[in-house]
Amino acid sequence: EMCIRDRVSTQSTGSPELAMSVVAKRPADDGSQQLAKRAKTIDDMPRTSSLAAPIMLLTGHEAAVTSLKFSPNGQMLATGSMDKHIFLWSVHGECQNLQVYKGHKNAVLQVDWSLDGTKICSASADKSLLVFDVETNKRVKKFNDHDSHVNSVCWARADTHLLASASDDCSAKLWDCLLYTSPSPRDS
């Protein structure tokens, strides 16, 4: 008979640590059954990522984080927040913040990556979509033709110049980034 129990233990530092106990009955010298117990801590488990620790806390947003998405190659993570900003993070080592994108006037509700990983698009409660170039760190497009909050955005997987958005104005829109021209910066 064998039972596996997961538990969270606290080391002398006070931080939680996952531990697993395997409890099995084994025969004793006198023929009776004894409990055998072996504990394994998370530090004993082989590492499967390049993170500096099993759980990395990404801090910097000043309000609730509403969306996140890994880049297509898995090297970066984009997060959107009620603080109106989009953060770009490295997902290796210390998970450093690489860039902060600004430009929305209200909460960022969703983020998505272009298939080639060169652009990030964001949907916002300010009724707009913004597209940022990750290589130049500049805003390259602004779409503001919705009449209410833009809740969702996604890049097309086959035609990488197409975006789709959904809004509280009861519409979904398909945008051609090659043909649509953004308003001039003074109009936005």
Side-chain angles (χ1 to χ4, degrees):
E1 182 178 320
M2 189 180 321
C3 173
I4 298 176
R5 297 180 188 152
D6 290 338
R7 61 185 158 83
V8 175
S9 65
T10 304
Q11 292 181 327
S12 60
T13 61
S15 63
E17 175 185 303
L18 177 67
M20 186 184 336
S21 297
V22 178
V23 180
K25 288 187 177 181
R26 67 175 178 195
D29 292 338
D30 62 4
S32 65
Q33 298 284 318
Q34 290 182 333
L35 287 180
K37 189 174 183 181
R38 189 183 102 214
K40 187 173 190 178
T41 66
I42 202 161
D43 292 330
D44 296 332
M45 295 180 188
R47 295 300 310 254
T48 59
S49 75
S50 61
L51 295 176
I55 299 172
M56 297 297 295
L57 179 63
L58 308 177
T59 59
H61 282 292
E62 296 175 3
V65 176
T66 55
S67 179
L68 53 84
K69 186 85 173 204
F70 279 103
S71 62
N73 67 8
Q75 301 295 309
M76 293 179 280
L77 180 73
T79 57
S81 171
M82 298 294 282
D83 66 9
K84 309 173 196 169
H85 302 154
I86 301 146
F87 282 28
L88 187 63
W89 306 91
S90 166
V91 296
H92 298 287
E94 295 293 326
C95 296
Q96 295 177 343
N97 177 259
L98 303 173
Q99 182 67 31
V100 178
Y101 298 108
K102 299 178 181 181
H104 282 295
K105 296 176 182 158
N106 207 330
V108 175
L109 301 177
Q110 189 171 25
V111 295
D112 197 24
W113 287 85
S114 61
L115 190 59
D116 62 6
T118 62
K119 294 179 181 59
I120 297 172
C121 186
S122 55
S124 174
D126 67 7
K127 307 177 190 177
S128 74
L129 302 167
L130 297 182
V131 178
F132 295 92
D133 186 304
V134 175
E135 295 168 358
T136 65
N137 293 320
K138 299 205 185 292
R139 186 183 88 190
V140 293
K141 293 281 182 184
K142 180 176 183 176
F143 303 94
N144 57 1
D145 291 342
H146 277 290
D147 295 325
S148 189
H149 300 120
V150 184
N151 300 308
S152 183
V153 63
C154 70
W155 287 92
R157 296 301 171 216
D159 295 319
T160 58
H161 61 281
L162 295 179
L163 283 173
S165 62
S167 170
D168 281 353
D169 64 11
C170 302
S171 73
K173 295 187 178 189
L174 195 58
W175 309 86
D176 187 331
C177 293
L178 297 178
L179 299 177
Y180 185 90
T181 54
S182 298
S184 65
R186 67 174 184 264
D187 295 338
S188 51

